[in-house]
Amino acid sequence: MSIRQPTKLIVLFGLVTGCALFRGFSFERPTVSLDSIQVVALDLRGGRLNLLLDVYNPNGYDLRGTGLEATLELEETRFGDVQLERDFLLPAKEQTFIEIPMSFTWEGVGAGARALLTRGEVAYDLATLIRARTPGGDRPVRFHLNGMVRLADLGVGR
């Protein structure tokens, strides 16, 4: 047996082991849905909403969110943009709810928006960017969601 053969075996073992470790850190996109919109406050100038995102991390490791950006439309009316500049944890193989506060003005959304905020559900379009820190480095994860969502409120507007 020459010296070259054990070296080849060591290199081959290192490659196989490295690939197995890397496979354990492969990245799968989290799934995101808009669970509900909570009407927090309404006044003559506008109001405040809380968007409740339901996020599932399918990875075998925790993801650290380092920020989030979102643009919300309700009933084809742009309500606004939000930026969440705080860290949040997405535990491995778990579902997490993230609450995103949003303020809006009546001028920005139009007078017709008042009516839709008193109904039980609304059509929405939500573009979201989650900045996530993974074992393989930082990764931007974009989502575009739309559909119907229930409005959960505290008796505001009724």
Side-chain angles (χ1 to χ4, degrees):
M1 184 194 268
S2 71
I3 292 182
R4 291 184 144 197
Q5 233 169 348
T7 304
K8 286 181 184 177
L9 287 174
I10 291 170
V11 169
L12 180 61
F13 177 76
L15 286 173
V16 169
T17 304
C19 287
L21 286 172
F22 185 72
R23 189 171 34 250
F25 288 122
S26 67
F27 179 76
E28 287 184 60
R29 284 173 48 94
T31 58
V32 174
S33 63
L34 181 59
D35 181 76
S36 65
I37 298 174
Q38 180 183 29
V39 179
V40 178
L42 296 175
D43 61 29
L44 294 175
R45 291 185 305 269
R48 290 191 324 270
L49 308 172
N50 283 335
L51 310 178
L52 189 60
L53 292 184
D54 181 353
V55 183
Y56 176 74
N57 176 10
N59 295 288
Y61 51 87
D62 293 349
L63 295 176
R64 296 237 175 249
T66 60
L68 183 146
E69 299 170 20
T71 299
L72 177 67
E73 287 185 9
L74 297 177
E75 300 289 334
E76 298 181 5
T77 300
R78 186 177 182 135
F79 259 68
D81 304 309
V82 293
Q83 286 193 319
L84 191 61
E85 296 298 332
R86 65 171 168 83
D87 291 350
F88 51 91
L89 180 65
L90 301 174
K93 305 278 184 190
E94 286 189 27
Q95 177 181 13
T96 304
F97 288 93
I98 301 173
E99 190 174 86
I100 306 166
M102 171 182 262
S103 296
F104 65 92
T105 63
W106 295 123
E107 293 172 289
V109 299
R114 288 182 191 171
L116 76 91
L117 288 173
T118 61
R119 293 196 334 238
E121 65 178 17
V122 295
Y124 74 90
D125 189 88
L126 180 66
T128 308
L129 166 69
I130 295 176
R131 293 185 302 275
R133 184 158 291 139
T134 73
D138 290 352
R139 187 178 290 263
V141 184
R142 295 184 188 282
F143 298 93
H144 190 125
L145 310 169
N146 56 41
M148 298 296 287
V149 66
R150 66 185 170 87
L151 285 177
D153 67 26
L154 300 174
V156 176
R158 293 200 180 166

